[in-house]
Amino acid sequence: MTNKNKPFSIRRKVIKRISEEVATAIRSGCPPLVIVHGGGSFGHPLAKKYGIHHGFREETQLIGFAETVQAMRRLSGVIAENLHTSGVPALPLQPSAITVQKNGRIAVMFSEVIEKALAMGFTPVLWGDAVLDEEKRFTILSGDQIVSHLSAVLSPLRVVFGTDVDGICPTDPKRTKTRPFEELKRSELEMMTTRPSESGGVDVTGGMMGKLNEIISITSRGIEVVVTNATKAGNILRALLGGKVGTLVKP
Ligand SMILES: Nc1ncnc2c1ncn2[C@@H]1O[C@H](COP(=O)(O)OP(=O)(O)OP(=O)(O)O)[C@@H](O)[C@H]1O
Ligand SMILES: [Mg+2]
């Protein structure tokens, strides 16, 4: 949804198309949805510039923390507006306002508001954010971790990760030509994460590696996960309707 190599660049056409696919999925009977988006070119550059992911070290970081939160509100604003235009009652819920971490993992998240909003027919929208931390004073909460936390709270039928590659591959497909796995078992994923892998762009949350670790925790709860290329038209729609596009990770 953004060009991660260029700070604050939005891929408007992609956001519009994905919003329309989400709307079509809901009209076609997709169960209630929670949307969590990543930091892309909005969160990562600021977080990196001020070292927010390392925790609080000096006063000058405070403005950086606040700017990171604000940049993410801007990105999520664009996403929510596009969803509204497509007819989806997207309700932005700022993670930093409902979450406290402890050493980089969620300690408290006031998820009651998410459950109540879902029950009313809203589509809650959350995002990777800069949040306060009991140990590190503040840090970065990845969208991937939010998904994993909410999976435990909400027990969804399926979790879909939309990214910019065709699925989970043996190695980074942006560096070497490889094809994605069609299907993986959790045990196979556990073996993969013992090998090093990194993000295709600037990513302080560990790129695909961080995602894989969250996917291991989601599938350990018996929930299936799909990792698909959201930059290709139709993939998000098909994945939301239960289709097989990209990599399917079986519990
Ligand atoms: N084995 C792998 N299989 C697939 N992708 C990989 C692998 N190793 C590294 N990657 C990289 O991980 C990237 C996806 O993770 P990244 O964190 O950059 O994006 P994202 O999580 O979709 O976006 P954001 O972090 O902005 O929310 C891909 O673009 C790819 O280059
Ligand atoms: Mg990421």
Side-chain angles (χ1 to χ4, degrees):
M1 297 190 296
T2 66
N3 175 2
K4 236 174 164 178
N5 297 316
K6 195 173 161 225
F8 312 113
S9 57
I10 292 187
R11 298 165 81 178
R12 287 186 187 274
K13 278 190 194 149
V14 175
I15 294 180
K16 184 168 182 279
R17 178 186 48 74
I18 294 175
S19 300
E20 283 162 4
E21 289 186 29
V22 168
T24 307
I26 293 173
R27 280 197 302 270
S28 311
C30 169
L33 266 182
V34 176
I35 297 176
V36 180
H37 65 82
S41 69
F42 279 68
H44 296 294
L46 278 172
K48 207 176 174 192
K49 178 179 167 195
Y50 291 98
I52 305 300
H53 54 303
H54 296 309
F56 175 80
R57 285 173 180 171
E58 51 181 46
E59 293 282 311
T60 54
Q61 285 176 299
L62 292 184
I63 189 106
F65 179 90
E67 277 181 30
T68 307
V69 168
Q70 186 55 23
M72 286 311 299
R73 283 161 54 125
R74 270 165 56 209
L75 175 59
S76 74
V78 173
I79 291 169
E81 284 157 18
N82 273 271
L83 286 162
H84 296 163
T85 304
S86 305
V88 178
L91 189 64
L93 298 172
Q94 183 182 319
S96 48
I98 57 169
T99 315
V100 176
Q101 299 225 108
K102 187 170 185 179
N103 241 331
R105 300 300 297 178
I106 295 172
V108 199
M109 182 182 259
F110 184 62
S111 49
E112 210 179 307
V113 64
I114 301 169
E115 293 175 71
K116 286 215 158 34
L118 266 176
M120 278 187 72
F122 287 108
T123 299
V125 178
L126 296 92
W127 52 90
D129 208 354
V131 304
L132 300 182
D133 189 294
E134 283 172 24
E135 301 280 336
K136 300 162 88 163
R137 313 283 295 280
F138 56 52
T139 187
I140 294 295
L141 167 60
S142 71
D144 300 332
Q145 191 190 150
I146 297 178
V147 172
S148 144
H149 178 85
L150 288 182
S151 296
V153 177
L154 302 171
S155 302
L157 292 170
R158 172 176 259 204
V159 169
V160 174
F161 282 91
T163 185
D164 65 348
V165 290
D166 289 335
I168 304 170
C169 305
T171 55
D172 186 345
K174 283 187 184 158
R175 285 166 199 250
T176 46
K177 205 165 175 278
T178 82
R179 287 164 61 86
F181 297 103
E182 270 188 32
E183 206 171 298
L184 280 173
K185 290 194 195 77
R186 177 164 50 97
S187 54
E188 291 168 320
L189 210 59
E190 274 163 347
M191 261 151 58
M192 276 185 74
T193 53
T194 55
R195 275 188 277 133
S197 139
E198 49 187 45
S199 165
V202 187
D203 190 337
V204 294
T205 56
M208 187 53 78
M209 188 64 159
K211 214 182 288 302
L212 296 192
N213 282 317
E214 302 302 348
I215 293 173
I216 288 171
S217 119
I218 297 165
T219 47
S220 73
R221 296 178 186 278
I223 301 161
E224 67 175 23
V225 170
V226 171
V227 179
T228 191
N229 193 338
T231 71
K232 293 190 179 165
N235 278 357
I236 288 291
L237 172 60
R238 262 175 276 156
L240 289 178
L241 293 179
K244 217 172 155 184
V245 270
T247 306
L248 173 68
V249 188
K250 292 265 198 183

